[in-house]
Amino acid sequence: MSTPPEPWADKIQSHLPHSARVWNYLLGGKDNYVADRQVGDTILQMFPGIARIARLQRYFLARAVRFLAGEVGIRQFLDIGTGLPTVDNTHEVAQRVAPESRIVYVDNDPLVLVHAQALLTTTPQGVCDYIDADVRDPDRILAEAARTLDLSQPIALMMLGVLGQIPDSDQPETIVHRLLEAAPAGSYLALSDGTDTNQALNEAIAAYNANSASSYHLRRPDQIARFFTGLELIEPGLVATTQWRPELGDAGGGDPSQVDAICGVARKG
């Protein structure tokens, strides 16, 4: 990938690995730089299963959005920590089910912003918008999202892999609860994150943290479960990403019960 033009070069910091671009590399994308690929290769050498985890999270996103837009009838999505656009982005899946769906993406990576502006096109009936903001600033996110979404009507809050980038010191539970506090009854939370249940993965993430501009924080399953406090988990509950309403071909190879990431979808009553 070529170096971006000014003024984006200074903001993007292509000489430093970044989580969105490393994840893009693990998914087989091309929107990454040498520094991202070097760190990605280090992680793959230490824990080859990381690429499968990345794919499984994308599969879960598609299944969750189809469920929310189809079975539940949600027409508004707030996707925080969207990452670089790839296949089956939230708006594409939602608008295939319901073309009038409105989607707001949130990320704080300048490269994501560049690509989002170019690639996140909407149906004529729907709306697709992008907010350049940090998940640690929920009040700003809500204020800007309200320009596109009607927060008096149910929304789906999508938080896939983003809370792992927030250390406990920044109170990720409080962030989730603040975002949901602004949403009416009938809203949903779809969330997935990596677990600290595999020593090889723990060591690979430690190597990533030592060589990246950002850090990822694996958590115990019971810690991730606390993000759903006060919500009604939809069957099958909080499970491995392979096991949430699986579809043919979504196991991504390997044992579907053996994946070091969990996910769930829950309803606000």
Side-chain angles (χ1 to χ4, degrees):
M1 187 173 180
S2 61
T3 301
E6 297 290 349
W8 291 108
D10 289 341
K11 294 181 179 179
I12 289 173
Q13 296 183 308
S14 59
H15 64 290
L16 296 174
H18 191 281
S19 60
R21 301 194 303 259
V22 173
W23 205 243
N24 174 266
Y25 175 62
L26 295 173
L27 284 167
K30 298 180 180 179
D31 299 316
N32 47 73
Y33 299 97
V34 172
D36 307 305
R37 295 190 286 274
Q38 288 174 339
V39 169
D41 287 339
T42 297
I43 298 173
L44 286 168
Q45 290 171 5
M46 298 181 69
F47 187 77
I50 191 69
R52 180 170 178 251
I53 291 175
R55 292 193 301 272
L56 292 174
Q57 181 169 281
R58 295 300 301 185
Y59 297 156
F60 166 66
L61 180 147
R63 297 196 305 273
V65 173
R66 281 194 292 270
F67 165 76
L68 291 164
E71 293 187 40
V72 176
I74 293 291
R75 296 294 179 264
Q76 303 190 111
F77 294 80
L78 180 57
D79 187 335
I80 301 179
T82 176
L84 286 159
T86 181
V87 296
D88 277 347
N89 300 290
T90 296
H91 76 286
E92 293 171 323
V93 178
Q95 291 180 347
R96 278 201 294 268
V97 177
E100 71 275 21
S101 297
R102 305 171 74 86
I103 296 88
V104 173
Y105 290 103
V106 182
D107 208 296
N108 67 342
D109 182 344
L111 188 62
V112 173
L113 175 59
V114 171
H115 283 257
Q117 291 172 332
L119 300 176
L120 299 184
T121 56
T122 181
T123 59
Q125 305 97 314
V127 177
C128 186
D129 198 8
Y130 180 92
I131 299 172
D132 181 13
D134 193 295
V135 66
R136 297 173 183 83
D137 195 354
D139 290 328
R140 179 187 169 196
I141 290 172
L142 291 166
E144 296 197 27
R147 298 200 302 260
T148 301
L149 307 179
D150 179 357
L151 297 183
S152 70
Q153 298 298 314
I155 67 168
L157 176 62
M158 312 294 295
M159 304 191 78
L160 275 62
V162 66
L163 292 175
Q165 299 182 47
I166 308 301
D168 290 339
S169 58
D170 283 342
Q171 301 181 314
E173 286 181 59
T174 300
I175 293 170
V176 176
H177 296 158
R178 173 67 189 103
L179 291 164
L180 288 170
E181 182 182 45
S187 295
Y188 286 78
L189 170 66
L191 183 149
S192 68
D193 255 314
T195 58
D196 66 352
T197 48
N198 186 306
Q199 185 58 32
L201 176 59
N202 294 345
E203 292 173 0
I205 294 300
Y208 165 78
N209 291 345
N211 293 281
S212 176
S214 56
S215 296
Y216 194 85
H217 307 271
L218 297 168
R219 291 189 169 94
R220 302 190 312 271
D222 65 290
Q223 290 178 298
I224 296 173
R226 289 202 289 269
F227 295 131
F228 293 96
T229 299
L231 305 176
E232 175 192 356
L233 275 166
I234 303 301
E235 290 293 333
L238 187 62
V239 295
T241 48
T242 48
Q243 297 179 324
W244 198 90
R245 304 190 174 211
E247 298 173 359
L248 187 65
D250 272 7
D255 185 341
S257 66
Q258 298 298 314
V259 57
D260 301 294
I262 57 177
C263 67
V265 175
R267 182 180 186 273
K268 179 180 178 180

